[in-house]
């Protein structure tokens, strides 16, 4: 009787060890392959007014000074995609104005903000709007490790972390630029750049 108990106990431990090993191997394989996230085909995406998609070469697009600063921080000979805020978004979300924020006494602070925004909004690969299929949700980590969730709306414009693009697929050397109607940032950074009067509300 005691012999069969030991044998049963031995087999139970072996079975549990095999199951744990198989589960661990499965998790490692899924992580390495980076399987795509669940499809959002049946989920509702935000409604945006229908406008024509604008895919424009860089010479036809005038990036704002802040946008140029962000793009110039990247090496021009490597593949990157950057989601650059529009001038209105810099003004509305960060209270940055070219006439004031680039003065010598504020330039270092503005430059520091641009480097943080770059960290949140650039991915080390080329991602054109044609690479994202309608109804699909893709996920990439930015160069600072911030997760970016990218989809395409009914008009073919990219939506990144619920911020819609205004212009897509602008190329500068190896860099793909998408001009966004907002600033991609994490909650901590957003709190740190809020103006003092809005913190009281």
């Amino acid at each position: 009787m005691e012999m069969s108990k030991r044998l049963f106990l031995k087999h139970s431990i072996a079975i549990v060890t095999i199951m744990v090993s198989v589960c661990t191997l499965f998790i490692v394989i899924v992580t390495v392959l980076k399987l795509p996230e669940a499809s959002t085909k049946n989920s509702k995406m935000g409604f945006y007014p229908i406008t024509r998609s604008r895919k424009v070469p860089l010479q036809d697009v005038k990036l704002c000074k802040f946008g140029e600063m962000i793009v110039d921080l990247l090496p021009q000979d490597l593949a990157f995609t950057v989601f650059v805020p529009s001038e209105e978004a810099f003004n509305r979300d960060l209270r940055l104005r070219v006439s004031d924020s680039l003065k010598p006494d504020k330039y270092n602070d503005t430059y520091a903000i641009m480097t943080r925004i770059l960290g949140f909004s650039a991915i080390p690969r080329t991602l054109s709007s044609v690479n994202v299929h309608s109804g699909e949700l893709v996920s990439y980590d930015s160069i600072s490790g911030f997760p970016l969730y990218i989809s395409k709306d009914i008009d073919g414009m990219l939506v990144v972390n619920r911020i819609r693009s205004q212009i897509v697929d602008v190329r500068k050397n190896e860099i793909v630029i998408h001009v966004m109607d907002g600033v991609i940032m994490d909650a901590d950074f957003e709190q740190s750049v809020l103006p003092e009067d809005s913190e009281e509300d």
Side-chain angles (χ1 to χ4, degrees), residues 9 14 23 104 113 120 151-152:
L9 188 60
C23 290
I113 291 171
F120 294 129
S151 61
K152 188 186 286 188

Side-chain angles (χ1 to χ4, degrees), residues 71-154:
V71 172
D72 289 342
L73 289 169
L74 292 169
Q76 303 299 307
D77 59 339
L78 296 176
F80 281 95
T81 299
V82 62
F83 302 97
V84 176
S86 65
E87 187 167 0
E88 299 82 26
F90 277 114
N91 185 6
R92 180 187 65 235
D93 299 344
L94 298 175
R95 309 294 189 261
L96 292 176
R97 291 170 191 77
V98 172
S99 60
D100 182 50
S101 301
L102 295 177
K103 290 182 179 177
D105 59 324
K106 295 184 178 181
Y107 186 82
N108 287 341
D109 292 337
T110 303
Y111 186 82
I113 291 171
M114 294 306 116
T115 58
R116 289 296 303 274
I117 297 300
L118 173 67
F120 294 129
S121 61
I123 57 173
R125 63 167 290 149
T126 300
L127 182 70
S128 299
S129 63
V130 295
N131 299 121
V132 180
H133 302 290
S134 211
E136 176 184 27
L137 178 68
V138 294
S139 174
Y140 294 102
D141 285 339
S142 70
I143 57 177
S144 69
F146 184 65
L148 301 178
Y149 302 99
I150 305 162
S151 61
K152 188 186 286 188
D153 69 8
I154 58 173

Side-chain angles (χ1 to χ4, degrees), residues 140-199:
Y140 294 102
D141 285 339
S142 70
I143 57 177
S144 69
F146 184 65
L148 301 178
Y149 302 99
I150 305 162
S151 61
K152 188 186 286 188
D153 69 8
I154 58 173
D155 190 33
M157 302 303 273
L158 295 179
V159 179
V160 182
N161 292 12
R162 292 190 235 152
I163 299 172
R164 187 173 191 263
S165 60
Q166 293 178 339
I167 302 171
V168 294
D169 300 336
V170 178
R171 281 206 164 263
K172 180 179 183 185
N173 298 325
E174 296 297 314
I175 300 171
V176 177
I177 304 163
H178 305 289
V179 179
M180 308 301 289
D181 186 30
V183 180
I184 299 169
M185 56 187 157
D186 69 4
D188 292 336
F189 183 69
E190 185 176 3
Q191 285 295 328
S192 73
V193 296
L194 280 177
E196 293 175 10
D197 58 341
S198 67
E199 290 177 356

Side-chain angles (χ1 to χ4, degrees), residues 1-44:
M1 182 81 161
E2 193 173 307
M3 182 76 145
S4 65
K5 263 187 168 178
R6 275 194 230 151
L7 203 55
F8 176 75
L9 188 60
K10 256 186 176 176
H11 289 302
S12 298
I13 292 173
I15 290 172
V16 169
T17 303
I18 290 172
M19 288 178 59
V20 168
S21 298
V22 168
C23 290
T24 304
L25 183 63
F26 178 73
I27 290 170
V28 169
I29 290 172
V30 168
T31 304
V32 169
L33 293 179
K34 282 213 160 219
L35 295 176
E37 301 219 358
S39 175
T40 58
K41 288 183 181 176
N42 295 329
S43 66
K44 292 189 177 182

